[in-house]
Amino acid sequence: MTEAGQIENACADAWPALTERRLGGWRLRAAGGFTGRANSALAVGDPGTGLASALETVCDFAHAQRIDPVVQTIKDGPLEPALREHDWRPYAEYAGGHEVAVLLGGIDSTTRDPRVRVLDAPTPGWWRLTVGGTEPTEAQRRVLTSGPAVGFGVAEVDGGTAGSVRGAVADGLLLVARLAVDPAFRRRGLATALMSGIGEWGAAQGATRCVLQVSVGNSGALDLYAGLGFREHHRYRYWVPWKDRAS
């Protein structure tokens, strides 16, 4: 398997779906529609069957889980031309951004900010910034609190939660996601402080590199991470069938 495939599998371990089924090297995932990553088939490696049969299985699984059939594949990889031949297309209308840059960087475990703590369990303030409310759905709770090792970073200002971030370690990689700062507390260095705090936590869990998955349309986040030394390793895209046979 390529390094990009290894990274994607580690990220899938660090971002577990509510329901997952293996199809050879592929991973069919569903989580009630919460995030594209947790509701798509990660198609890297060999599915162990012909492509037409594998794509049919993807559709059957998705329909059984009451989600749309979606395939996540490495951009410009060998699978993409074959997907076109089987009447699949890039999911360009996906609201979260169908093309995603996967960034790699080192781990900053030296810069400490007293405003940031990394907790073993999410707080109501963390949930509020992460999902927009203090009562997560079953799928949100599963995706965001499960994994080999998960940390919940919070930035606290004036006794309240002003920022949040999620970190999870798998296969030596720290996957950082859901970085958020309350609009009332922006431009105070909290995003950088949260990245440093979750990096310190990740290093203590054995991570040696940090990975981020950012929509190519999110220029603000890409600029932030470029300033922190992150560089693009590869991209992935979501694909859907031109015509869903069971729709």
Side-chain angles (χ1 to χ4, degrees):
M1 184 178 295
T2 65
E3 184 179 37
Q6 292 171 349
I7 291 170
E8 291 303 330
N9 269 291
C11 289
D13 289 337
W15 193 261
L18 184 62
T19 302
E20 180 172 317
R21 175 184 166 189
R22 294 278 184 161
L23 179 65
W26 289 20
R27 303 170 73 150
L28 316 185
R29 303 168 295 180
F34 177 63
T35 78
R37 285 175 286 174
N39 290 275
S40 59
L42 177 60
V44 296
D46 184 356
T49 184
L51 182 57
S53 177
L55 294 174
E56 182 175 354
T57 300
V58 168
C59 290
D60 289 342
F61 173 84
H63 297 142
Q65 298 297 322
R66 299 183 179 181
I67 60 174
D68 294 330
V70 179
V71 164
Q72 176 192 343
T73 187
I74 295 168
K75 185 185 178 186
D76 298 328
L79 181 60
E80 290 201 333
L83 285 173
R84 292 188 188 277
E85 291 175 1
H86 284 78
D87 293 326
W88 285 59
R89 62 175 177 83
Y91 190 10
E93 68 271 28
Y94 176 58
H98 85 289
E99 186 171 326
V100 176
V102 179
L103 313 177
L104 283 183
I107 293 180
D108 177 5
S109 60
T110 59
T111 306
R112 298 188 180 187
D113 191 307
R115 297 174 294 179
V116 173
R117 296 186 298 151
V118 179
L119 310 174
D120 293 331
T123 63
W126 188 92
W127 282 120
R128 176 181 60 82
L129 285 176
T130 304
V131 301
T134 58
E135 294 296 330
T137 65
E138 179 186 7
Q140 289 171 337
R141 188 175 295 277
R142 165 65 179 173
V143 171
L144 295 172
T145 66
S146 301
V150 184
F152 307 91
V154 293
E156 297 167 326
V157 178
D158 299 331
T161 302
S164 62
V165 69
R166 178 188 186 270
V169 174
D171 197 22
L173 287 173
L174 168 64
L175 172 65
V176 174
R178 294 280 158 166
L179 177 66
V181 175
D182 188 307
F185 296 96
R186 289 176 182 169
R187 301 188 181 279
R188 301 191 189 186
L190 291 178
T192 301
L194 283 161
M195 287 295 295
S196 181
I198 204 68
E200 180 182 20
W201 173 86
Q205 309 303 312
T208 57
R209 294 188 296 174
C210 183
V211 60
L212 297 151
Q213 297 170 311
V214 184
S215 168
V216 296
N218 191 346
S219 58
L222 291 171
D223 288 344
L224 168 67
Y225 299 132
L228 295 176
F230 285 85
R231 298 294 179 264
E232 184 176 310
H233 183 273
H234 65 275
R235 294 184 180 187
Y236 67 75
R237 289 200 287 190
Y238 295 120
W239 291 71
V240 292
W242 275 104
K243 184 177 181 181
D244 188 346
R245 60 184 178 80
S247 60

